[in-house]
Amino acid sequence: MSAKLDAIVACLDVIRQTYPEDASLIVFDTEKVVTQIPGEHIKPEFDVGTPITEMENTVTAKAMRLGQTLCEERDAIMVTGVPYVATAVPIFEDGQVVGCVTALVSQGRLAALRDGASELSALVQEMSANADEIAQASARMAEFVQGMAAHAGTVSENIDKIHSVLDFVKSVATQSHMLGLNAAIEAARAGEAGRGFSVVAGEIRKMAEQSKQAVQDIQQQLEVVLEAVSRMDEAIRTMSGATQEHNANIEELNSEFAHVAATAEKLAKAAG
C-alpha cells in the first residue's frame, strides 16, 4: 500500500471526528477495502477485504475509474436505515490513482428538515386557503352591513317624510277644529235654524280632536321606531368598523403566511 494511503489510514479516526453528522469512512486501495470506521447508524455495505471488482457500480469504483471526486445522494436502505450522501475522493500518488477515501454521511437531519419544510409549506397553504375563505366571508358580511346601513338610512328618511305628513294632518286638524268652533258660534247665532249645522260643527270638532290625538299617537310610535333605527344604525356602524378591522387583520395574516411560506421554500431549497 502507498505511503499516502498509510498516512490516511493512520489519521482516519481523527478525520472521522471532524464530521458533525453520523458518518462512516472507508479507505480503498486499487484492489480492495483496506479499512473502515463505521458510524453509529451509517454502516458500510462492504467488509474489509472486499474486492473492488464486487463494487463496480458504486461511487467509489466510479471515482477511481474516472480519477475525480464524485458525490451521490442515497435514500435510506436496509444497510444504513437512513438516507446518506456518499462522497468518494480518489487518492493520487506520482500521478496515478492508488486508492480512494469514501465518506458515507448521514442525511437524517437534512431529511427531517426537508420533511418539516414540506409539511410547513402544506400547512401554510391550507391556512392561507382558510384565511382566504374567511376574508371572502368577511367581505360578504361587509356588503351585508353596508346594505343594512342603506336600509336604515332609507327608513330614517321615510320616517322624516311621515313626520312631514303628520305635521300637515295636525295643521289640518287644528284648522278643522277652529272651523268647527266658528261654525258652532254661527249656528248658535242662527238659533233654531242653525241647530242641524251646530251638530255638524260638533262632529267636525270631534273629528279634529281625534285626528290630533291620532297624530300624537303616531308620532310617539314613530319616535320609538326612530330610536330603534338609530340604535340599529349605531350597531351597524360598530359592526362595520369591526369588519374593516377584521379585514385588515386578515390581510396582515395573509402577509405573514406569505412570509412563512417564503421561509419554508428557502428551507426546502437549502435542504435540497
Side-chain angles (χ1 to χ4, degrees):
M1 190 167 63
S2 74
K4 185 175 289 188
L5 282 179
D6 285 338
I8 291 174
V9 170
C11 299
L12 196 62
D13 185 59
V14 175
I15 297 172
R16 167 65 182 80
Q17 296 178 39
T18 64
Y19 287 85
E21 299 288 347
D22 184 29
S24 176
L25 299 182
I26 311 117
V27 178
F28 303 81
D29 60 17
T30 56
E31 297 179 354
K32 62 185 180 301
V33 177
V34 175
T35 187
Q36 60 185 17
I37 298 179
E40 182 178 356
H41 300 289
I42 300 294
K43 309 295 182 182
E45 298 183 46
F46 304 99
D47 297 326
V48 173
T50 301
I52 293 294
T53 55
E54 295 184 12
M55 51 188 79
E56 190 66 27
N57 294 322
T58 64
V59 66
T60 300
K62 294 176 184 177
M64 293 177 65
R65 186 167 54 251
L66 296 174
Q68 62 186 39
T69 299
L70 296 179
C71 182
E72 293 182 359
E73 188 172 343
R74 304 289 178 83
D75 293 331
I77 59 176
M78 187 177 299
V79 176
T80 63
V82 293
Y84 66 95
V85 171
T87 303
V89 181
I91 306 301
F92 291 87
E93 192 169 346
D94 296 329
Q96 299 293 322
V97 174
V98 295
C100 183
V101 177
T102 299
L104 310 179
V105 183
S106 171
Q107 292 283 77
R109 294 182 182 178
L110 187 58
L113 179 60
R114 288 174 179 170
D115 292 342
S118 178
E119 291 178 4
L120 178 60
S121 179
L123 179 61
V124 168
Q125 289 180 0
E126 182 179 353
M127 294 175 68
S128 297
N130 291 337
D132 288 339
E133 291 180 2
I134 294 173
Q136 292 174 6
S138 181
R140 291 193 295 269
M141 176 62 72
E143 293 178 0
F144 176 73
V145 168
Q146 291 176 355
M148 290 180 62
H151 288 312
T154 301
V155 171
S156 297
E157 292 175 0
N158 290 335
I159 288 176
D160 290 338
K161 292 178 181 179
I162 293 173
H163 272 299
S164 299
V165 175
L166 290 177
D167 288 340
F168 174 74
V169 173
K170 187 175 181 180
S171 175
V172 171
T174 300
Q175 294 177 11
S176 297
H177 183 271
M178 293 300 298
L179 179 62
L181 181 61
N182 291 333
I185 293 172
E186 293 299 326
R189 289 178 180 175
E192 187 66 24
R195 181 177 297 176
F197 190 66
S198 177
V199 173
V200 174
E203 291 299 323
I204 291 176
R205 292 172 60 191
K206 186 185 297 184
M207 289 176 61
E209 289 295 333
Q210 290 175 346
S211 297
K212 288 178 64 177
Q213 185 61 46
V215 167
Q216 291 177 358
D217 292 342
I218 293 173
Q219 285 179 330
Q220 290 176 357
Q221 293 299 321
L222 287 177
E223 290 299 328
V224 172
V225 173
L226 187 60
E227 183 179 356
V229 171
S230 177
R231 288 197 298 267
M232 182 176 68
D233 184 62
E234 183 178 354
I236 290 172
R237 293 179 186 276
T238 302
M239 187 182 300
S240 178
T243 301
Q244 292 177 358
E245 183 178 357
H246 182 61
N247 287 338
N249 291 336
I250 290 177
E251 289 180 2
E252 183 178 355
L253 186 62
N254 279 331
S255 176
E256 292 174 354
F257 281 155
H259 179 69
V260 173
T263 302
E265 184 177 355
K266 289 180 181 178
L267 288 174
K269 288 181 178 179

